[in-house]
Amino acid sequence: MKTVESLREVAHSRGLVVGACVNADALRIDPHYAAVLSREFSSITPENALKFGPLSPQPGKYNFSDADALMAFAERHNMAVRGHVLIWHRQLPDWLTRSKPDKKELTRVLINHVRTVVGRYAGRIATWDVVNEAVAPNGRPRNSIWWRVIGPDYVRIAFEAAHEADPRALLFYNDFGIEAPPAQLDAILALLAQLRTQAPIHGIGMQMHLRLADGARVKGLTRRVTQAASLDLKVHITELDVRLPIKTQPSSSDLEEQAAIFGNIVKIGLATPQCDNVTFWGVTDRYSWIPHVFPGKGAALLFDAEYGMKPGYHAVKDVLQLGHLR
Ligand code: G3I
């Protein structure tokens, strides 16, 4: 009797990789999490294990144990790994921000960090989010330590260091805001149009942390993804979730609306030749970041907290199998 195909199997038949970000603690302690992750997804993004602060709590020292465990899991289950994230303004080690480095020192720290982390997984991590969120929602450069101390050139320096450490890796710029007013995405695309003449950059990651209202604007989202694809860069949807208002449980109408949004985003991915990876920002609502940051919101993913397949799971599968919702 043919078993029901998993998400990763139906996605594979359409030439699409469906991924999930992975919580290292959950993977260690929750066998159900590991089983659903390996059955349903064929790409993982370490949610926090490859970020500067978690990796290097002491100057010059690295603890790769969580990242290595995620890497081993991915290789055991024939899954791609999206390295996330080398240079960001958040989750930096305290020693770095406290040390108040000058331009020369911070540039040295940046290059050393990128070379150390990319070099360790050269040939194993095929895709990196090299720089994350360098453009603020108003379209101006984000006022980060990298921008303040090194200047706008930190973006190019980071991509060049990553390319030197692993010339085969595909290097992405990752950001949110595709669902926001155009200023942010316009500025991102202008940055990438210039960057691609100066440095090895291969793709744009569009996070897509959506509310129901954002997801309803399908025409706008389609237009924005097409605009990004016009740069002739790869396009990955890197952190898809759709947060719902919850008191105890989400309403069935919100779950159905969320399902339609997930289906539409996957349709956009399938219709965009440059897009070959759609990654959800988590496996199950149980470990989602959303309730910690957006009080009263949650239920943002494909599996509920008890690993039940939500309407969104079936919608994604329908679109992959039939091209439309059932
Ligand atoms: O590991 C420590 C733990 O030792 C400590 O006891 C606990 C309480 O302070 O904090 C734990 O660290 C938390 C970490 O997640 C691991 O759970 C941090 O406080 C918490 O801030 C961190 O949140 C992460 C967030 O990025 C940080 O900005 C979320 O899990 C993660 O989902 C989220 O992911 C980002 C992407 O990387 C980039 N795009 C936006 C997205 C959402 O912010």
Side-chain angles (χ1 to χ4, degrees), residues 157-191:
I157 293 167
F159 275 88
E160 282 178 350
H163 184 66
E164 278 161 29
D166 185 356
R168 290 160 296 181
L170 293 179
L171 307 180
F172 277 66
Y173 172 84
N174 191 51
D175 214 325
F176 63 91
I178 176 176
E179 66 284 354
Q184 188 173 10
L185 184 66
D186 290 348
I188 290 167
L189 298 183
L191 167 71

Side-chain angles (χ1 to χ4, degrees), residues 21 23 25 45-49 51 54 66 84-85 88-91 129 132-133 174-176 207 209 238-239 241 281-282 287-290 292-294:
C21 87
N23 174 318
D25 294 333
T45 304
E47 184 170 16
N48 292 293
K51 293 171 177 174
D66 276 353
H84 174 87
V85 54
W88 189 24
H89 63 283
R90 297 181 65 175
Q91 288 180 276
D129 288 337
N132 189 46
E133 303 175 12
N174 191 51
D175 214 325
F176 63 91
Q207 294 180 13
H209 293 293
T238 52
E239 305 183 16
D241 50 30
W281 204 243
Y287 299 107
S288 169
W289 70 292
I290 293 285
H292 303 288
V293 175
F294 299 99

